[in-house]
């Protein structure tokens, strides 16, 4: 199991990323705390200083596990469901640039918030087949660059499709996406999965990454989620990949990061 934490280019109290600021400085902090990996969340791939990050990876014995694309949605409002061909192609080009950076750094990329929403003018099936063209194009591109895409199941209040892990699983199988894996997030899974304590095992063939926060999106263990059951099934399923903290910087960055790491040590061996 590899213990990871998400970091943003800026610290925003309402965004669930516990560390924020200059990536190189934050990587040192994450490493000193005892994490083995980080996620970088940046509104532009060009803001990631590839050589500085690569140097920090070596110096701090840290892996960049994935690069989040969510800030593209937050900053520009672009999504895979955009019906305007110019805006959609701008989004695809931006995501490809993240894949280029990921290829250099040796990380995956995450597609979460940029999934967007199927418009009310389309049925669910029409929306999925519209989106499939973009997901296939990005999967092919990632494959050529040796990068894996993590496609996240997010709750219905953020996106109106791919809410459950099984939905992402079936999509990967149906469209033969060989370079795409599932990202399951405890916060979203608690809202969407029929059984929060038995949702991991059926996904194992395609599961690539797991996000952790509590029901209030504070550090795991600080809220009322049944994280005992959630983590027990992860151990029992034989999952040995990345578990990653994606929680609010509450009550402050360091407390959130430290308590999260203690949570991982209590529940997993690495
Ligand atoms: C992204 O990983 C995620 O979980 C979304 O809710 C955006 O924060
Ligand atoms: Mn997440």
């Amino acid at each position: 199991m590899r213990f990871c934490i998400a970091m943003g280019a800026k610290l925003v109290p309402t965004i669930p990323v516990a560390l924020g600021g200059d990536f190189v400085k934050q990587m040192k902090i994450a490493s000193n705390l005892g994490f083995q990996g980080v996620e970088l969340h940046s509104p532009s791939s060009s803001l990631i200083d590839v050589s500085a990050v690569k140097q920090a990876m070596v110096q701090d014995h840290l892996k960049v596990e994935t690069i989040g694309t969510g800030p593209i949605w937050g900053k520009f409002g672009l999504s895979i469901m955009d019906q305007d061909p110019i805006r959609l192609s701008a989004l695809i080009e931006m995501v490809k640039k993240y894949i280029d950076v990921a290829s250099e750094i040796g990380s995956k990329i995450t597609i979460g918030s940029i999934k967007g929403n199927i418009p009310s003018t389309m049925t669910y099936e029409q929306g999925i087949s519209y989106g499939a063209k973009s997901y296939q194009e990005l999967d092919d591109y990632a494959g050529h660059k040796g990068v894996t895409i993590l496609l996240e199941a997010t709750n219905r209040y953020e996106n109106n499709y791919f809410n459950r892990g099984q939905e992402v699983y079936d999509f990967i199988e149906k469209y033969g996406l060989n370079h795409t894996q599932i990202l399951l997030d405890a916060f979203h899974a608690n809202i969407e999965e029929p059984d929060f304590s038995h949702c991991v095992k059926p996904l194992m063939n395609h599961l690539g990454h797991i996000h952790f926060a509590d029901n209030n999106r504070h550090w795991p263990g600080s809220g009322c989620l049944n994280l005992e059951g959630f983590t027990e099934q992860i151990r029992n399923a034989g999952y040995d990949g990345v578990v990653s903290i994606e929680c609010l910087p509450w009550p402050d960055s360091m407390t959130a990061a430290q308590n999260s790491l203690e949570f991982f040590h209590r529940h997993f061996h690495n």
Side-chain angles (χ1 to χ4, degrees):
M1 206 74 86
R2 297 199 299 283
F3 298 161
C4 175
I5 186 162
M7 53 184 56
K10 261 204 308 202
L11 192 68
V12 184
T14 51
I15 292 183
V17 177
L19 298 178
D22 177 71
F23 286 136
V24 170
K25 281 191 197 144
Q26 299 302 316
M27 284 170 78
K28 177 140 312 285
I29 291 170
S31 164
N32 287 344
L33 284 168
F35 286 95
Q36 291 110 35
V38 294
E39 296 184 20
L40 307 182
H41 292 237
S42 170
S44 165
S45 54
S46 63
L47 293 178
I48 301 171
D49 182 339
V50 171
S51 65
V53 166
K54 280 170 90 166
Q55 208 180 331
M57 285 166 63
V58 176
Q59 273 171 4
D60 302 329
H61 309 286
L62 213 57
K63 190 167 173 354
V64 176
E65 299 288 0
T66 187
I67 305 177
T69 59
I72 305 179
W73 166 253
K75 201 159 179 82
F76 306 109
L78 295 171
S79 87
I80 298 274
M81 284 297 152
D82 209 303
Q83 301 296 305
D84 178 316
I86 294 173
R87 285 170 56 87
L88 181 60
S89 85
L91 170 77
I92 300 290
E93 290 316 305
M94 282 186 198
V95 178
K96 285 182 179 172
K97 291 214 171 76
Y98 279 80
I99 293 172
D100 294 342
V101 172
S103 176
E104 288 191 69
I105 290 179
S107 77
K108 301 179 181 181
I109 70 146
T110 304
I111 294 186
S113 302
I114 62 161
K115 291 184 304 181
N117 284 292
I118 297 173
S120 56
T121 49
M122 280 182 173
T123 62
Y124 177 85
E125 288 73 22
Q126 284 169 336
I128 297 296
S129 63
Y130 176 80
K133 293 189 217 92
S134 298
Y135 288 113
Q136 277 175 316
E137 181 177 343
L138 291 170
D139 182 86
D140 279 350
Y141 188 82
H144 286 121
K145 294 276 177 171
V147 171
T148 296
I149 294 174
L150 297 169
L151 185 51
E152 182 166 16
T154 49
N155 76 70
R156 68 190 66 191
Y157 307 109
E158 296 187 26
N159 304 98
N160 65 7
Y161 71 106
F162 296 164
N163 304 128
R164 286 171 298 109
Q166 191 64 48
E167 230 181 312
V168 182
Y169 187 104
D170 294 344
F171 182 75
I172 289 173
E173 291 267 313
K174 179 170 177 188
Y175 289 94
L177 303 180
N178 293 323
H179 315 288
T180 300
Q181 295 178 322
I182 303 163
L183 195 167
L184 195 69
D185 181 320
F187 172 78
H188 301 297
N190 169 61
I191 296 170
E192 297 294 345
E193 297 295 337
D195 187 342
F196 185 57
S197 298
H198 296 92
C199 57
V200 166
K201 204 165 176 208
L203 308 179
M204 279 299 284
N205 284 343
H206 294 301
L207 187 59
H209 197 96
I210 306 177
H211 277 161
F212 275 84
D214 220 303
N215 67 301
N216 46 12
R217 240 169 178 181
H218 292 171
W219 49 272
S222 65
C224 66
L225 282 192
N226 175 16
L227 289 168
E228 295 295 327
F230 188 72
T231 51
E232 186 183 358
Q233 68 176 324
I234 293 172
R235 293 192 305 272
N236 291 343
Y239 178 83
D240 195 25
V242 179
V243 286
S244 185
I245 298 301
E246 191 189 50
C247 73
L248 293 164
W250 178 91
D252 57 78
S253 278
M254 291 307 275
T255 309
Q258 270 162 348
N259 289 353
S260 295
L261 190 66
E262 278 170 28
F263 170 88
F264 278 163
H265 281 297
R266 266 201 312 282
H267 290 88
F268 303 120
H269 296 291
N270 62 353

